[in-house]
Amino acid sequence: MATTPRENFKAAMNGGAPEWVPLDMGKHIGSIHKKHYARLAALLPELDLKNGDVILDRMAQTLVPDEALLRHFNVDFRWLVPNWVQVTEREGLDGYFDMWGVPYKGADGDHYAVDSQTKAPLADAETPADIDAYDWPDPDDPAQFAGLGERARELYETTGYVLGADAIKAGPLMSALQMRGYEQYFMDMVINPDLSDALLTKITDLLCRMWTRFMDEVGPYVQIAYVTDDLGTQTSLLLSPKLYRKRIKPFHTQLHQHIKSCADVKLMMHTDGAVLPLIEDLVETGADILNPVQTSTAGMDDTAALNAKFGGHIGFHGAMDVQQMMPGATMAELRWEIARRMTDLGANGGYIIAPCHNIGHDIAPETTLAFFDMVQKMGRYPLALDEALATNASFFERLNREGAA
């Protein structure tokens, strides 16, 4: 009997012998921008792709991929995404307030971003009592996970795909920064730790309650749960390791361990940026898989060294750069990059290959088609990628020269 993607994933993540490198696409950070999707549909008329107007992540303007496209690309994962609830439209403006009260505004029809010109909802809070008095979202809103249990059971019983519980769009640190205002909250962590901790405590407690309801619905069927909380920039951490360990890490640990207590899942932690100094800490919080391995940031480009140091402790997801590599790569360079990351991160399992973030409209649709086709052809174990690695090794040298310039 043929190995299923679900069985192959378990082998890849548990030190077994996977038959191929698992391939992912379709969660809310890791789908396809609506403009790119339209171009893909034009190149694949035989698939008659639907969902061209079904938004998956309103902020990023990505779409729910059609099942026909997921099958065409041989994607191993199917994601169960919480429903957008308690969202309020902004009157007279292309924008909205999310469930936490954070204001967003449209950006040229391309995406939505936090509206930095509007006061953050907790900017005026002075004491923990002010935090308690805020109009917090209802963590028990049944609409947030309506229909997901039935969908999870159907997929579990009728397919062999890896099933994932997609992230609730909030993380303790990023939510605190957005609700308080970035500059103010960074100061709070140092000069007003009581208020800082009160805010993180409230956010984390609400997230735990939401995840309890989420796992009540899908927990018996999913193999992976996804959480997000950005900790890095292109060149450095958002905060020092010392401050992270003192102020943020306890709340990540609380959330991650709570989720894993609710269901038998691997926990995948998303954090963009140059987060190398915190990977060991993330392992200690309970993270099993690191996403997105943003190789265009400082310290994350040497994936062989990354795997040598942490590979026995955490798995890796992503590493196919959509910021510098995929927008400009030739077909030969793309093939070389796929070979490099598979070799570095997945020679013995423990790696899920995927674009490291959303596939944007600055990437040629032909490149996207080539990526998924190459992964299918190159990703079976034992990996035999020497020929690909021997060609176009100058690609990263060129990127490095351009970056230095």
Side-chain angles (χ1 to χ4, degrees):
M1 183 178 295
T3 300
T4 67
R6 194 176 304 153
E7 293 165 340
N8 188 68
F9 166 79
K10 290 180 179 179
M13 293 298 115
N14 292 325
E19 293 185 16
W20 66 90
V21 178
L23 171 64
D24 188 23
M25 190 271 288
K27 63 188 186 313
H28 89 275
I29 303 178
S31 187
I32 302 175
H33 191 276
K34 61 184 180 182
K35 294 179 182 178
H36 188 93
Y37 191 88
R39 294 167 187 159
L40 279 179
L43 291 179
L44 298 169
E46 69 278 10
L47 297 184
D48 189 24
L49 295 181
K50 307 295 191 297
N51 296 359
D53 58 353
V54 182
I55 296 295
L56 173 63
D57 181 356
R58 184 171 180 180
M59 183 178 72
Q61 290 293 283
T62 53
L63 297 176
V64 176
D66 192 295
E67 177 65 22
L69 186 65
L70 295 175
R71 291 180 180 175
H72 181 75
F73 285 161
N74 249 9
V75 173
D76 293 316
F77 292 70
R78 297 296 183 272
W79 289 95
L80 300 149
V81 186
N83 303 311
W84 278 57
V85 297
Q86 305 174 59
V87 175
T88 306
E89 300 300 319
R90 298 180 69 181
E91 186 174 350
L93 181 69
D94 180 22
Y96 59 92
F97 295 96
D98 70 10
M99 65 157 58
W100 306 92
V102 176
Y104 287 78
K105 65 178 180 180
D108 302 324
D110 195 59
H111 65 280
Y112 289 80
V114 175
D115 185 355
S116 60
Q117 302 303 309
T118 299
K119 182 182 288 188
L122 284 172
D124 294 331
E126 297 180 354
T127 67
D130 295 329
I131 302 297
D132 287 337
Y134 183 68
D135 185 17
W136 291 96
D138 175 10
D140 300 313
D141 185 346
Q144 189 171 14
F145 309 112
L148 296 186
E150 294 87 342
R151 174 63 174 159
R153 181 169 59 83
E154 176 191 11
L155 286 168
Y156 185 82
E157 293 178 350
T158 63
T159 78
Y161 296 123
V162 185
L163 305 185
D166 203 348
I168 296 166
K169 281 184 61 65
L173 175 60
M174 292 310 297
S175 295
L177 289 167
Q178 292 169 355
M179 296 182 75
R180 182 77 167 132
Y182 281 69
E183 183 177 351
Q184 183 60 56
Y185 192 71
F186 280 125
M187 290 191 296
D188 288 341
M189 284 190 282
V190 177
I191 65 176
N192 197 350
D194 288 345
L195 190 142
S196 168
D197 286 354
L199 182 51
L200 285 173
T201 295
K202 189 67 177 183
I203 293 169
T204 306
D205 287 348
L206 289 172
L207 286 172
C208 285
R209 289 175 62 182
M210 292 179 192
W211 273 100
T212 297
R213 290 193 63 91
F214 196 4
M215 292 295 100
D216 283 346
E217 294 290 334
V218 307
Y221 312 111
V222 296
Q223 293 77 54
I224 185 171
Y226 186 49
V227 295
T228 70
D229 210 7
D230 287 342
L231 300 172
T233 71
Q234 289 290 119
T235 58
S236 66
L237 296 171
L238 282 172
L239 69 173
S240 71
K242 181 179 179 180
L243 190 59
Y244 171 77
R245 290 164 191 151
K246 186 172 185 178
R247 296 262 78 89
I248 310 300
K249 184 177 178 180
F251 297 97
H252 280 164
T253 302
Q254 177 189 345
L255 178 61
H256 299 174
Q257 296 298 335
H258 175 77
I259 294 169
K260 294 174 77 170
S261 75
C262 293
D264 181 15
V265 291
K266 295 293 185 183
L267 188 133
M268 181 159 68
M269 168 75 178
H270 166 91
T271 172
D272 290 325
V275 297
L276 181 64
L278 295 183
I279 293 177
E280 185 174 342
D281 293 280
L282 296 179
V283 172
E284 292 172 355
T285 69
D288 300 299
I289 304 167
L290 177 66
N291 160 270
V293 190
Q294 193 176 355
T295 58
S296 59
T297 65
M300 300 298 287
D301 57 326
D302 189 345
T303 42
L306 197 67
N307 196 25
K309 185 171 183 179
F310 300 107
H313 306 284
I314 195 166
F316 301 98
H317 178 291
M320 293 301 301
D321 178 53
V322 299
Q323 190 174 50
Q324 295 181 20
M325 188 275 296
M326 287 185 72
T330 66
M331 293 297 104
E333 290 167 342
L334 179 66
R335 184 169 181 266
W336 183 85
E337 174 72 351
I338 292 169
R340 178 188 185 188
R341 302 309 177 188
M342 281 184 173
T343 299
D344 286 356
L345 296 173
N348 299 305
Y351 176 45
I352 302 163
I353 192 167
C356 78
H357 210 281
N358 296 317
I359 300 173
H361 51 80
D362 58 340
I363 297 171
E366 293 83 0
T367 300
T368 299
L369 295 177
F371 166 73
F372 286 100
D373 181 62
M374 290 177 187
V375 169
Q376 290 183 47
K377 293 175 179 176
M378 298 164 63
R380 299 199 71 85
Y381 288 100
L383 300 178
L385 303 172
D386 291 345
E387 179 184 349
L389 288 170
T391 61
N392 290 287
S394 62
F395 174 49
F396 265 81
E397 294 176 8
R398 174 169 63 82
L399 284 184
N400 290 335
R401 287 196 302 271
E402 293 172 356

